[in-house]
Amino acid sequence: MSEQPPRKNLLQEIHRRSVWQVVTVYAVGAWFALEVVQGIVDAGNLPDWLPGMALVLLIIGFPMVLATAIVQQGWSGGSEEAGPRQGPTPSAEDGGGTAAGGKPVGAAAESSSLSDSPTPAGPDTTHSAPVNLAAGTGSLDRSPTRPSTAHRLFNWRNAIAGGVLAFALWGVVATALLLSGRAGPRESSSGPSDSGEQLRAIAVLPFDNLSTEEENAYFADGIHEDVLTQLSKLGDLTVISRTSVLPYRSTEQSLGAIASELGVGSILEGSVRRAGDNVRITAQLIDARTDEHLWADNFDRQLTAANIFAIQSEIAQRIAEALAATLSPAEEERITRSPTADLAAYDFYLQARNTYWLYTDRGNDEAIRLFKEALDRDPDYADAWAGLADAYAQRVVRFGYGREWADSAEAVARRALQIDPDLPQGYKALALAYNSRGQLRASLESNLEAVELDPNYSAPLNNIGVDQLLLGRIDEALRYHKRAYRLEPTTGFASSNIAFDYAFLGMPNQAEARALEILRLQPSNESAIAVLRSVDQLRGDYAGALARSRAVVQADPGVSRTWLWVAGDAFLLKDFETALEATEEALRLSPDTEYGQNHYPRVVLGVSLIRTGQEDRGRQVLEAFREDLLRRVEEMPEQNFNQFSLAAIEAARGDAEAALDWMEAAYDQGYRFTIGLDVDPAFDSVRDHPRWQAIVTRMAEDVAVMRANVQREEGESGVP
């Protein structure tokens, strides 16, 4: 009989031992097991590596099952453990005698199932049992033999037991993770950036007030803001500002739509119920992309200041854990501090802050009164001192009070920082006091300190941009305004600052696009309209700028500020009659207006009077303004608008050298605003002077360098 190829022998052997069936059954069972595991992982929000762990267990188990199948000769190999399967020895009656040539038929038939080679004639020797000659019969001893090591190890009982133990171990690990609260979040299949960074961008929606008394709404708002503030101190999170989430109070929009508008991956919702001496705060963290709950809890506590702050800290810690955010020891210490132990002081503080946000003169006065009430209850309440400092500074910046209030604001802010040197609100208030006095570098330093302590604090981020802009670092201003915009994408405030930065950099297309987007969302946003005026001026369309200003005045003629827009635009067009009328109307509406930081409308008034034939009165206006500016320059040397205005006055008075000296001084202090400078009538007398042209050229070159920096950065990042 000829020999057949080994591969054919192998295939026949695999088939005989039912290995294909075993592999098929194992594959189907493994697929089913993985589906069950994935379902458990999804339902329990368990880590994504657990299905991988189950797959590894199944891969490890496969060769063991395969070896068992071979040793046991298939899925139904039965009870024979000592060697090859034995068939019955046929008797003469059933044809079991010898065939021709003396070959035992039974033996030949059995051996053919193992090999195609001839089997010699003789007794069945496939068993190793010895012949019992002692009995004198010559018969074979059929007693059982001891199984081999392979047969003892690779059997179906051991295989099944091993699988059960392996998945029991998997279940123990999964259960331990679930019970320990460390089940999520999991990384999605789209990659770590999507599930990590996007999820760690969070919006804290306004908390619902479930108290029976509606007047407790300020309390729910205060808890909401404090939770948001706690989270914003964590550098590993991106926390959308309060001003950008407030519009979503009682909204009908889906969480997915809100998340898309705010550019976040997770959203925190909550409610506050205040009843007598008890408070109940609920919070739930949701993956806005899948509507999956990442964490939720209820806090029922006695209403004490200590309990309120403990709940806020615990919420921040649990959210950080759920989002896999890293907390530094300093951050952990900051979010666990208790600002006051006096509940009444905290209550006054929340009411004060609620009225401060109204940004009205009357609301600011009420906030000052309430902050003082809080401090009467707890003189060491640093947050209340910082709030009072903010309100004092706003009197100067927003409501036109004298600069002595800036001195009070600085003193009060320093008191807050003396109590708590790591209070971001204290540094922000101190910066506002400095800014109101024109101390731009000190303001910048304090704002930077506030952001260092609270990376998601949008107010000082915006103010850093303003400080950098006034110091002539327009590209740096844009970088910080972009950071602020990331935290408050819906207010239009940071976005309009970005648009102005683009205009000052000589990038009209980018400025226009940003302003038009703001107006699409907020059609009456005045800052966006002001940006479009700057774009018109940048393109040399001064008539277009004037038309925009007139349209705003016609819509609301009672606003002093927009009359000054008309005056400035008409001035650049050399329409001095219109410039004079508009300036005088602005003064009539607001006799005590300070015209903002640059006071330039006084130059417009004086020059327009001279150009309309009222030279004596015009020179009187300019001389009075000159004396005021000289005093301001001495007090606020960093305020380069003052030097620039003095240059304009001296040029209008005909003193070219004095005008150029002051223009040099303005340049040295960072003045880099070139829009309209080439047509400003105040500088007509020095426009052809070589020294003037040299100064203006240096300014234009500096702006060109900053513009190139921005274009390179945006080209590399792809972010406009």
Side-chain angles (χ1 to χ4, degrees):
M1 185 179 231
S2 62
E3 294 186 2
Q4 295 191 21
R7 185 173 67 179
K8 183 177 180 180
N9 294 344
L10 177 62
L11 291 174
Q12 288 180 345
E13 188 63 21
I14 289 174
H15 179 71
R16 189 187 73 81
R17 294 171 181 263
S18 304
V19 174
W20 297 123
Q21 293 93 319
V22 171
V23 170
T24 300
V25 170
Y26 189 83
V28 172
W31 172 83
F32 179 76
L34 287 175
E35 288 295 309
V36 172
V37 164
Q38 190 63 56
I40 295 172
V41 167
D42 290 339
N45 192 31
L46 295 166
D48 271 346
W49 53 265
L50 281 172
M53 176 184 176
L55 180 61
V56 169
L57 292 174
L58 289 167
I59 292 173
I60 293 173
F62 178 71
M64 301 178 68
V65 169
L66 191 62
T68 302
I70 293 173
V71 170
Q72 300 302 320
Q73 300 186 27
W75 188 259
S76 59
S79 60
E80 297 190 32
E81 299 177 358
R85 185 173 50 191
Q86 298 276 338
T89 303
S91 62
E93 287 78 6
D94 59 17
T98 60
K103 182 178 180 181
V105 175
E110 180 62 28
S111 66
S112 69
S113 69
L114 299 174
S115 172
D116 288 335
S117 61
T119 302
D124 185 353
T125 59
T126 56
H127 247 291
S128 59
V131 177
N132 187 356
L133 298 179
T137 62
S139 65
L140 296 177
D141 186 349
R142 300 293 182 180
S143 60
T145 60
R146 181 179 180 83
S148 69
T149 301
H151 282 74
R152 290 197 307 271
L153 178 62
F154 296 108
N155 60 73
W156 294 118
R157 182 176 57 200
N158 289 349
I160 294 171
V164 170
L165 287 174
F167 275 90
L169 174 63
W170 183 94
V172 169
V173 173
T175 302
L177 286 169
L178 191 60
L179 293 177
S180 66
R182 302 187 61 177
R186 307 191 317 272
E187 292 191 2
S188 68
S189 59
S190 56
S193 176
D194 184 43
S195 63
E197 293 181 15
Q198 189 177 358
L199 265 183
R200 287 194 288 273
I202 180 174
V204 184
L205 298 186
F207 282 16
D208 292 331
N209 174 34
L210 302 183
S211 306
T212 54
E213 296 84 6
E214 184 60 32
E215 60 268 21
N216 278 328
Y218 77 88
F219 188 77
D221 289 344
I223 297 296
H224 162 251
E225 185 178 345
D226 283 344
V227 169
L228 189 154
T229 300
Q230 292 288 67
L231 289 172
S232 74
K233 296 174 184 176
L234 308 183
D236 214 17
L237 299 181
T238 298
V239 185
I240 301 302
S241 73
R242 168 190 174 275
T243 50
S244 277
V245 298
L246 284 182
Y248 298 100
R249 187 193 302 276
S250 304
T251 182
E252 297 298 323
Q253 287 181 267
S254 68
L255 294 183
I258 295 172
S260 178
E261 291 180 3
L262 295 177
V264 300
S266 57
I267 287 180
L268 181 70
E269 295 181 309
S271 65
V272 179
R273 182 188 298 276
R274 181 177 181 177
D277 294 332
N278 296 293
V279 64
R280 177 183 175 87
I281 299 175
T282 67
Q284 55 181 354
L285 181 66
I286 301 167
D287 184 337
R289 305 164 304 174
T290 63
D291 210 29
E292 176 186 3
H293 281 66
L294 302 175
W295 166 80
D297 209 342
N298 299 320
F299 302 88
D300 291 288
R301 307 278 172 85
Q302 183 181 2
L303 184 56
T304 66
N307 283 341
I308 291 294
F309 298 131
I311 292 171
Q312 294 170 4
S313 299
E314 187 171 347
I315 289 174
Q317 290 172 318
R318 295 290 296 276
I319 289 173
E321 183 179 342
L323 297 179
T326 302
L327 272 70
S328 70
E331 289 172 339
E332 190 162 4
E333 182 179 351
R334 281 198 290 272
I335 66 173
T336 54
R337 61 182 282 271
S338 294
T340 181
D342 191 300
L343 181 63
Y346 180 62
D347 207 65
F348 281 126
Y349 172 77
L350 293 184
Q351 294 179 61
R353 201 167 55 183
N354 209 41
T355 58
Y356 172 87
W357 290 122
L358 297 174
Y359 286 129
T360 64
D361 196 354
R362 180 176 297 179
N364 199 63
D365 287 345
E366 178 65 5
I368 289 172
R369 184 188 71 80
L370 290 166
F371 281 132
K372 288 181 175 180
E373 292 275 11
L375 291 168
D376 285 342
R377 297 282 310 189
D378 182 357
D380 292 327
Y381 195 173
D383 296 65
W385 284 111
L388 184 61
D390 254 337
Y392 283 164
Q394 289 292 359
R395 280 190 163 179
V396 183
V397 173
R398 192 178 292 269
F399 306 117
Y401 286 66
R403 285 187 303 110
E404 64 274 9
W405 287 101
D407 298 335
S408 298
E410 179 183 352
V412 171
R414 290 193 180 281
R415 173 63 177 146
L417 292 172
Q418 182 183 16
I419 297 169
D420 184 354
D422 293 329
L423 185 65
Q425 293 88 343
Y427 285 102
K428 181 258 185 183
L430 182 60
L432 194 60
Y434 284 139
N435 183 275
S436 65
R437 290 205 303 249
Q439 296 172 268
L440 301 180
R441 290 173 176 82
S443 173
L444 176 61
E445 184 179 347
S446 291
N447 278 319
L448 287 169
E449 187 68 32
V451 171
E452 179 69 22
L453 293 166
D454 186 344
N456 293 286
Y457 201 172
S458 62
L461 279 170
N462 260 315
N463 293 342
I464 289 170
V466 172
D467 290 337
Q468 297 282 26
L469 181 68
L470 296 178
L471 289 168
R473 306 163 189 164
I474 311 174
D475 50 349
E476 280 294 321
L478 180 59
R479 293 185 189 102
Y480 279 97
H481 285 148
K482 284 181 176 179
R483 284 181 60 184
Y485 174 72
R486 175 69 185 92
L487 303 175
E488 48 177 62
T490 63
T491 63
F493 182 71
S495 191
S496 63
N497 282 341
I498 292 173
F500 274 120
D501 295 339
Y502 279 133
F504 294 136
L505 285 166
M507 303 172 71
N509 294 338
Q510 291 85 339
E512 182 179 46
R514 177 73 65 161
L516 291 175
E517 177 61 20
I518 296 170
L519 289 174
R520 185 184 68 81
L521 300 172
Q522 303 171 12
S524 61
N525 188 292
E526 283 190 0
S527 293
I529 297 172
V531 170
L532 293 178
R533 288 177 54 240
S534 297
V535 170
D536 289 336
Q537 294 169 1
L538 194 59
R539 291 169 173 166
D541 184 7
Y542 300 106
L546 178 58
R548 289 186 193 277
S549 299
R550 285 188 183 279
V552 175
V553 164
Q554 288 171 0
D556 186 359
V559 180
S560 172
R561 179 179 60 259
T562 52
W563 278 105
L564 293 177
W565 292 3
V566 172
D569 294 336
F571 189 66
L572 295 179
L573 272 172
K574 292 184 168 56
D575 181 355
F576 299 112
E577 292 285 353
T578 300
L580 180 58
E581 291 173 3
T583 306
E584 289 179 333
E585 179 62 14
L587 284 171
R588 186 188 69 80
L589 291 170
S590 301
D592 299 324
T593 182
E594 287 287 336
Y595 303 105
Q597 293 190 20
N598 63 5
H599 318 293
Y600 201 69
R602 297 194 192 184
V603 174
V604 172
L605 176 62
V607 173
S608 295
L609 284 167
I610 293 173
R611 296 294 186 95
T612 57
Q614 304 178 62
E615 185 167 349
D616 289 343
R617 183 184 168 206
R619 289 188 177 277
Q620 289 174 1
V621 168
L622 292 178
E623 183 61 31
F625 188 28
R626 178 175 177 272
E627 294 300 320
D628 183 37
L629 285 174
L630 289 172
R631 176 179 55 82
R632 289 176 182 270
V633 166
E634 186 175 350
E635 294 174 351
M636 297 181 289
E638 297 176 12
Q639 197 81 299
N640 52 49
F641 282 106
N642 293 326
Q643 289 94 327
F644 175 76
S645 295
L646 278 167
I649 289 173
E650 298 294 3
R653 294 172 69 240
D655 190 339
E657 290 303 318
L660 295 171
D661 287 343
W662 282 117
M663 194 63 191
E664 287 273 12
Y667 175 83
D668 290 342
Q669 289 295 334
Y671 191 89
R672 299 294 185 275
F673 303 102
T674 60
I675 299 176
L677 193 57
D678 56 336
V679 297
D680 190 327
F683 295 101
D684 284 351
S685 65
V686 297
R687 199 171 314 281
D688 295 330
H689 197 291
R691 191 175 161 201
W692 169 267
Q693 293 176 351
I695 296 170
V696 173
T697 298
R698 291 205 305 272
M699 290 175 61
E701 290 173 347
D702 291 345
V703 171
V705 169
M706 291 186 283
R707 180 170 61 247
N709 290 340
V710 169
Q711 290 170 335
R712 182 180 63 255
E713 291 171 5
E714 292 184 350
E716 292 172 353
S717 67
V719 178

